Amino acid sequence: MKKILLCAIVAQIPWALLASDTSVLEEKATHGDAHAAYELAKYYEAQHESDRSLLWYKQAAILSLETKTTQNKALESGLTEQLQKIERKETVYSSFLTPYKDDEETKNSVQQMVTQSFDIAPYKMNYLLPITYDAVSHDNRDHQETKFQVSFQKGLSDNLLGLHESFVVAYTQTSWWQTAAESAPFRETNYQPELFMIMPHFDQDSFIKAYQFGILHESNGQGGEKSRSWNRLYAKTFLQAGGLVIAPRIWYRIPENSATDDNPNIEDYLGYADLELTYPWKAQTFKLLIRNNLRSENNKGAVQGDWTFPLWEKDLFGYVQLYSGYAESLIDYDKRSNRIGLGFALSR
């Protein structure tokens, strides 16, 4: 369970992949395992099933009280905080539901609106880098700018094919903002809607953890000479060696009409694959993204390093990003950047 959970956190595998383990956890919890009950509660909380989550948090609290081990005393402290958090939320929205106590369907709709539980979860990193500096000089732009990214996913269906797979739609938006320039214009924004299927490897003890297959569109929303866009089919595998998560990805560019292709030579700079390495250590995470066109002549590529570390808030992290190479953004797919950024991450 710990190995799968680690992979789910650091490699963006949806919580839906853990659903197959709930029966095992429930069996352990019903036989007095407080930690199994606690894991179930966290799982259902992530699924926005507040009633079931609250039930298992309470069960975990009861079990931890019955078996006063040192480990369970620490668990009890965390449970108290979680129970108070959920009960406060229940108190806030329960008053909205009073007029609909005899109309279960409307009640569910109101509950969803009030709690904002639309089962939307982070996908890639969500971050704000108020200060970044690109050491490479480019025409008509300052070296200093702000960079931020918003990324989320929404599950569409689970186990439709009987493979314990999940079909997911996702959206990622990355922006570069010339905050140091006069009038502070947005220089570039890249949009990435995505549809993919992710499924676990059949052997949970294997170093292979999951597979992901998807279709990805990427564009910068501009027109004329500044327009950039392309569409890809991709396959990605999640591997785990000890504490290191390895995620190689290959892609195939969907052909476009040469007369309307905004960037016909983009593969010369981005190639056909990338590799992401993730290593969580204590409360910190380290990531390395490597991309190369694998050509002996006119070799092009890029490397991005990410470091996140905890701050004063539980779900707020310090974030340092380093980027060196081509194609940091679509408008610069054929230009080099050497950038460092410092800011905050809301998800990892």
Side-chain angles (χ1 to χ4, degrees):
M1 177 66 186
K2 289 183 178 178
K3 289 183 179 179
I4 300 174
L5 182 59
L6 175 63
C7 194
I9 293 172
V10 298
Q12 302 123 24
I13 298 179
W15 273 96
L17 289 184
L18 303 180
S20 59
D21 287 340
T22 56
S23 58
V24 177
L25 288 173
E26 286 182 9
E27 183 177 355
K28 290 182 178 180
T30 53
H31 286 82
D33 190 328
H35 286 275
Y38 184 55
E39 290 297 325
L40 278 169
K42 290 195 295 182
Y43 167 75
Y44 286 121
E45 184 179 12
Q47 296 296 306
H48 304 288
E49 297 186 36
S50 58
D51 292 340
R52 299 178 77 176
S53 174
L54 182 59
L55 173 67
W56 284 112
Y57 273 128
K58 288 181 176 178
Q59 181 66 14
I62 292 170
L63 291 173
S64 66
L65 286 170
E66 291 176 349
T67 54
K68 281 285 187 178
T69 64
T70 302
Q71 190 177 27
N72 280 341
K73 286 179 181 178
L75 175 61
E76 182 184 343
S77 175
L79 283 169
T80 301
E81 181 182 346
Q82 291 290 346
L83 283 169
Q84 290 174 346
K85 176 183 174 182
I86 292 177
E87 287 174 346
R88 282 196 299 269
K89 184 183 290 186
E90 294 278 348
T91 301
V92 169
Y93 77 69
S94 60
S95 61
F96 286 90
L97 305 180
T98 304
Y100 313 103
K101 59 183 178 180
D102 297 324
D103 184 350
E104 193 66 26
E105 191 171 0
T106 303
K107 178 182 175 181
N108 290 338
S109 296
V110 173
Q111 179 173 330
Q112 184 186 54
M113 289 188 294
V114 173
T115 61
Q116 296 295 297
S117 56
F118 294 95
D119 295 331
I120 294 175
Y123 178 44
K124 299 179 181 179
M125 287 185 65
N126 288 270
Y127 63 79
L128 169 65
L129 300 174
I131 300 175
T132 73
Y133 184 84
D134 186 358
V136 179
S137 297
H138 299 278
D139 294 337
N140 303 317
R141 75 175 74 162
D142 285 346
H143 290 272
Q144 179 184 328
E145 60 186 352
T146 296
K147 181 180 178 182
F148 63 89
Q149 179 170 285
V150 177
S151 182
F152 55 86
Q153 61 180 331
K154 164 73 175 177
L156 300 178
S157 69
D158 295 317
N159 206 29
L160 184 66
L161 305 178
L163 301 172
H164 300 290
E165 85 292 340
S166 295
F167 286 91
V168 182
V169 62
Y171 176 77
T172 302
Q173 179 175 314
T174 311
S175 294
W176 290 259
W177 185 8
Q178 288 272 285
T179 47
E182 186 177 354
S183 78
F186 276 85
R187 177 177 65 82
E188 171 79 343
T189 296
N190 291 170
Y191 309 92
Q192 293 186 32
E194 185 175 349
L195 176 66
F196 62 87
M197 181 190 79
I198 187 165
M199 56 183 289
H201 186 60
F202 62 89
D203 181 4
Q204 294 184 359
D205 294 325
S206 171
F207 75 99
I208 304 173
K209 295 303 177 185
Y211 309 96
Q212 182 172 324
F213 307 93
I215 180 169
L216 169 66
H217 168 80
E218 185 175 14
S219 62
N220 67 350
Q222 299 198 47
E225 294 182 355
K226 291 187 176 182
S227 176
R228 302 286 186 273
S229 67
W230 64 328
N231 301 294
R232 288 176 283 174
L233 300 173
Y234 71 84
K236 188 174 185 178
T237 304
F238 297 94
L239 315 171
Q240 188 176 28
L244 179 66
V245 177
I246 307 164
R249 179 179 65 159
I250 60 173
W251 59 74
Y252 167 75
R253 184 185 182 186
I254 299 174
E256 298 182 39
N257 188 319
S258 58
T260 58
D261 192 345
D262 297 321
N263 27 253
N265 63 338
I266 194 169
E267 296 102 317
D268 295 344
Y269 295 88
L270 280 92
Y272 300 91
D274 59 21
L275 175 67
E276 186 177 70
L277 307 174
T278 304
Y279 187 79
W281 182 74
K282 305 297 184 182
Q284 304 176 59
T285 63
F286 303 88
K287 289 185 181 181
L288 187 66
L289 176 67
I290 304 169
R291 186 176 62 234
N292 195 277
N293 64 5
L294 300 179
R295 298 181 182 180
S296 56
E297 296 184 6
N298 295 320
N299 184 266
K300 310 291 184 185
V303 176
Q304 178 175 312
D306 300 322
W307 171 39
T308 66
F309 48 91
L311 294 176
W312 55 90
E313 289 290 336
K314 180 181 178 182
D315 297 320
L316 181 66
F317 308 93
Y319 179 32
V320 177
Q321 182 186 94
L322 301 173
Y323 189 95
S324 180
Y326 290 86
E328 184 188 12
S329 65
L330 277 181
I331 198 69
D332 292 332
Y333 80 88
D334 56 353
K335 299 180 179 65
R336 188 176 183 86
S337 298
N338 287 317
R339 184 185 303 276
I340 181 171
L342 178 63
F344 309 94
L346 302 179
S347 67
R348 303 191 288 182

